[in-house]
Amino acid sequence: MTQIHQEDFIQSIADGLQFISYYHPTDYIQALAKAWEKEESESAKDAMAQILVNSRMCAEGHRPICQDTGMVVAFIKIGMSVHFDGNMSITDMVNEGVRQAYTNPDNLLRYSVVSDPAGKRINTKDNTPAVIHMELVPGDTIEIKLAAKGGGSENKAKFTILNPSASLVDWVLETVPTMGAGWCPPGMLGIGIGGTAEKAMLMAKEALMEHIDIQELHERGPSNRIEELRIELYERVNALGIGAQGLGGLTTVLDVKINEFPTHAASLPVAMIPNCAATRHIEFTLDGSGAAELIPPNMDDWPDVTWEASDDARRINLDELTKADLASWKPGERILLSGKLLTGRDAAHKRITDMIAKGEPMPEGVDFTNRFIYYVGPVDPVRDEVVGPAGPTTSTRMDQFTRTMLEETGLIGMVGKAERGPAAIEAIKDNRAAYLMAVGGAAYLVAKAIKSARIVAFEDLGMEAIREFEVKDMPVTVAVDVNGESIHKSGPAEWRVRIADIK
């Protein structure tokens, strides 16, 4: 009978979560590098280069790939011959591992989990609890799969129950464009087919932890219907032209993974969950010999890709910017920002708009006049950092506040991730403002452009507090101009046509 020591189990969870915070899976890096090599869209290729360079920086510096260090999901298969040496439940051991990983002073990870989700939404301060799925199986080992799933991609999860005669392919092709770019493509699609509603979602989530092998599958050819379906969806989703970060391009997904399960004769449950450019997962086995041994990837696995600001990028001094200056900016134009930049996310926007509704003044030290706001919740700094990884969060969550912010505070622009919805674009157009996009999945690279950071309001909100960043040459792209023209509409539309012509 195998004996698993409690401290080894906890240490393995903690080590695994630290490991995936700064190491991309090798198969993802290799797949993204191949996509970068063949990409013909200049904007998408630039975004992929930022992600690849960021990935290498994080691997070398042992800092998070993305500021959203995710909510932990664990799939655990426990051999029925295993005996535990300890007094904690498996759930408690997993959560203790999560706690140790996220509070590690050498590589602090962001606490994103909140309790009372439909009420006060209070941060748990250690990213616990994890979501745990356990299964008893024959054997004398414990197999553990860990993932840290970010909110941007998790929020794009989709589920439906189709009629048995309906086309699953049609549903996927109709649904993927509605997901926008907030899931930070290029990534993977996990699809669960069959079972019941909850079984389909669970299969889709676990599918995202599988090895990327679509190119190998292409080379050897499909051997069953699921493999045929994977290839068809991979090709047809990429033909949508969404591209890296939704900017338009050849590659939207690096692989499509599918799990299936028998289902009721009257039903066809289908779940689809995307994995983002900061894909984080690992699996290991405990056999009683100690904590899991995790082998770092070889630095030679990263491609020889560099990123530098484009020579034709427009340099902007935020401290001298006026609304009139925005009129010449064009969708897709690359910009380097320098100067002072305020930050704020959902909670800060809600608090500000509530204050405006009550006729209350802005907090002391907060003045949005002729300023830009950056949608970000950074990781806390370690060692000599002024701020930890600080990539953008999904901007559509702030759409409901955009008109009020533009019309009541003096704000003239925003920086975030992915597309804006119709209401936000209309507000931007009406107020002759602008929306800039930073690359999701390049948080450590972006943080290097931040030269100082201080909290100016709402410190109680933690990572959602309002900060003032001093930035130097922070890379962004004009996503919505003063006329309401969006690169996230024009880019994919152009590349859908170009891909069709290529084919």
Side-chain angles (χ1 to χ4, degrees):
M1 179 178 289
T2 299
Q3 184 163 270
I4 303 294
H5 295 284
Q6 179 174 289
E7 58 269 26
D8 291 338
F9 187 102
I10 293 170
Q11 188 65 54
S12 299
I13 298 293
D15 289 349
L17 293 171
Q18 278 282 311
F19 189 95
I20 64 177
S21 76
Y22 44 74
Y23 288 136
H24 263 127
T26 301
D27 59 317
Y28 177 85
I29 290 300
Q30 293 172 341
L32 184 60
K34 290 178 182 176
W36 173 82
E37 288 174 357
K38 73 175 186 179
E39 184 57 66
E40 297 177 18
S41 163
E42 186 177 339
S43 296
K45 196 176 185 76
D46 181 82
M48 283 192 264
Q50 289 191 45
I51 294 169
L52 286 165
V53 169
N54 180 79
S55 177
R56 187 181 185 97
M57 289 171 62
C58 294
E60 293 172 339
H62 284 196
R63 290 296 274 145
I65 295 165
C66 180
Q67 78 289 336
D68 183 349
T69 50
M71 185 172 185
V72 177
V73 180
F75 290 88
I76 306 176
K77 291 185 177 180
I78 305 165
M80 290 187 287
S81 298
V82 167
H83 175 264
F84 285 94
D85 176 27
N87 57 7
M88 296 172 68
S89 70
I90 293 174
T91 296
D92 287 344
M93 285 191 286
V94 171
N95 285 329
E96 179 57 28
V98 173
R99 185 175 296 109
Q100 290 183 17
Y102 279 73
T103 59
N104 186 322
D106 291 328
N107 180 39
L108 287 169
L109 307 182
R110 198 183 78 183
Y111 316 144
S112 300
V113 175
V114 296
S115 60
D116 190 16
K120 294 182 178 180
R121 298 179 66 83
I122 304 300
N123 197 295
T124 63
K125 302 296 185 182
D126 57 11
N127 221 58
T128 64
V131 175
I132 305 168
H133 305 285
M134 288 185 277
E135 182 182 356
L136 281 175
V137 299
D140 58 0
T141 61
I142 299 177
E143 296 177 12
I144 299 175
K145 294 180 180 179
L146 288 177
K149 195 70 161 57
S153 59
E154 188 69 3
N155 289 350
K156 303 301 182 179
K158 303 295 181 182
F159 173 77
T160 190
I161 297 183
L162 298 172
N163 288 327
S165 60
S167 169
L168 179 149
V169 171
D170 287 349
W171 177 78
V172 171
L173 296 177
E174 291 166 1
T175 303
V176 169
T178 71
M179 291 159 49
W183 58 282
C184 286
M188 293 171 61
L189 290 180
I191 296 176
I193 305 171
T196 54
E198 77 281 7
K199 179 66 174 178
M201 293 298 285
L202 194 60
M203 289 190 294
K205 178 64 67 67
E206 193 166 11
L208 292 173
M209 301 186 192
E210 296 177 13
H211 186 78
I212 296 175
D213 65 351
I214 196 71
Q215 301 306 327
E216 293 91 328
L217 177 56
H218 264 289
E219 290 175 6
R220 67 171 171 82
S223 59
N224 54 54
R225 172 57 185 150
I226 289 299
E227 290 184 346
E228 292 174 356
L229 190 57
R230 284 180 58 200
I231 290 174
E232 181 180 6
L233 288 173
Y234 170 80
E235 292 178 345
R236 296 186 66 179
V237 169
N238 281 328
L240 295 171
I242 294 168
Q245 303 292 302
L247 294 169
L250 296 176
T251 300
T252 301
V253 292
L254 298 174
D255 204 342
V256 176
K257 294 294 187 179
I258 301 174
N259 286 329
E260 63 175 349
F261 193 84
T263 191
H264 193 285
S267 304
L268 181 56
V270 184
M272 180 166 61
I273 305 178
N275 224 2
C276 65
T279 180
R280 289 171 295 235
H281 60 86
I282 194 170
E283 56 184 88
F284 52 83
T285 299
L286 300 180
D287 59 7
S289 62
E293 183 180 357
L294 309 177
I295 301 173
N298 190 318
M299 295 309 297
D300 291 337
D301 291 331
W302 273 263
D304 186 19
V305 175
T306 59
W307 181 86
E308 294 181 0
S310 171
D311 291 338
D312 60 357
R314 186 192 299 240
R315 281 183 158 80
I316 296 297
N317 185 344
L318 290 164
D319 300 333
E320 299 176 356
L321 196 63
T322 66
K323 182 176 284 192
D325 296 325
L326 312 184
S328 62
W329 297 2
K330 302 299 181 185
E333 182 179 3
R334 276 173 267 183
I335 285 177
L336 298 173
L337 298 178
S338 296
K340 292 182 173 61
L341 184 65
L342 291 171
T343 77
R345 287 171 41 113
D346 315 56
H349 277 75
K350 177 66 166 62
R351 195 172 287 186
I352 289 169
T353 53
D354 285 348
M355 294 172 71
I356 291 171
K358 296 174 183 177
E360 298 174 358
M362 288 293 100
E364 185 177 351
V366 176
D367 183 357
F368 289 107
T369 305
N370 285 343
R371 304 289 295 275
F372 268 67
I373 191 169
Y374 181 28
Y375 302 148
V376 63
V379 178
D380 287 340
V382 298
R383 296 180 287 279
D384 59 349
E385 294 177 342
V386 298
V387 69
T393 196
T394 307
S395 299
T396 49
R397 298 202 313 275
M398 269 55 72
D399 283 3
Q400 62 182 309
F401 307 113
T402 300
R403 185 170 292 276
T404 298
M405 292 293 293
L406 292 176
E407 295 181 354
E408 301 292 341
T409 69
L411 190 74
I412 62 173
M414 302 140 284
V415 182
K417 180 183 78 176
E419 75 285 346
R420 303 308 298 265
I425 291 176
E426 193 67 23
I428 292 168
K429 179 180 178 181
D430 290 347
N431 289 277
R432 304 288 290 174
Y435 166 61
L436 309 176
M437 185 212 81
V439 172
Y444 198 38
L445 177 65
V446 171
K448 295 302 182 183
I450 303 170
K451 305 307 178 184
S452 68
R454 66 185 182 94
I455 294 176
V456 295
F458 307 155
E459 187 171 3
D460 61 299
L461 295 181
M463 60 99 171
E464 295 212 52
I466 295 179
R467 292 169 169 81
E468 184 178 74
F469 289 166
E470 179 86 27
V471 299
K472 175 67 174 176
D473 289 343
M474 176 179 168
V476 294
T477 298
V478 179
V480 181
D481 69 4
V482 296
N483 300 310
E485 297 297 322
S486 170
I487 188 64
H488 288 103
K489 292 183 178 179
S490 60
E494 174 190 345
W495 279 91
R496 272 195 301 276
V497 173
R498 294 181 66 170
I499 292 170
D501 288 342
I502 292 171
K503 289 182 178 296

